[in-house]
Amino acid sequence: MKNRMGTFKGSKHFRLNQVAEGIFAAISVPGTGSLGNATIIDLGNSTLVVDTFTTIQAAEDL
């Protein structure tokens, strides 16, 4: 698996970096109000999101 990083259309707060199969890091974009990073883990039939963003707008964007 290749490590990939990309920006989602409509997201100004973070870039998504796939770090392993089913595991993603949402990396804060400086100056957008998202002052922390987050993690998204695909568990198969559910998804776990660890949100460390400090603004409601960044969390909603995630």
Side-chain angles (χ1 to χ4, degrees):
M1 184 189 79
K2 293 183 179 181
N3 190 11
R4 300 181 300 171
M5 181 175 272
T7 303
F8 289 112
K9 289 182 180 181
S11 174
K12 70 173 191 173
H13 294 101
F14 66 92
R15 300 197 190 311
L16 195 65
N17 183 14
Q18 182 175 6
V19 295
E21 184 77 27
I23 302 174
F24 302 86
I27 307 299
S28 173
V29 174
T32 62
S34 57
L35 302 174
N37 301 324
T39 303
I40 303 168
I41 303 171
D42 180 358
L43 300 172
N45 60 353
S46 60
T47 303
L48 174 66
V49 177
V50 180
D51 174 9
T52 60
F53 291 138
T54 58
T55 66
I56 292 172
Q57 294 82 7
E60 287 174 341
D61 189 31
L62 178 66

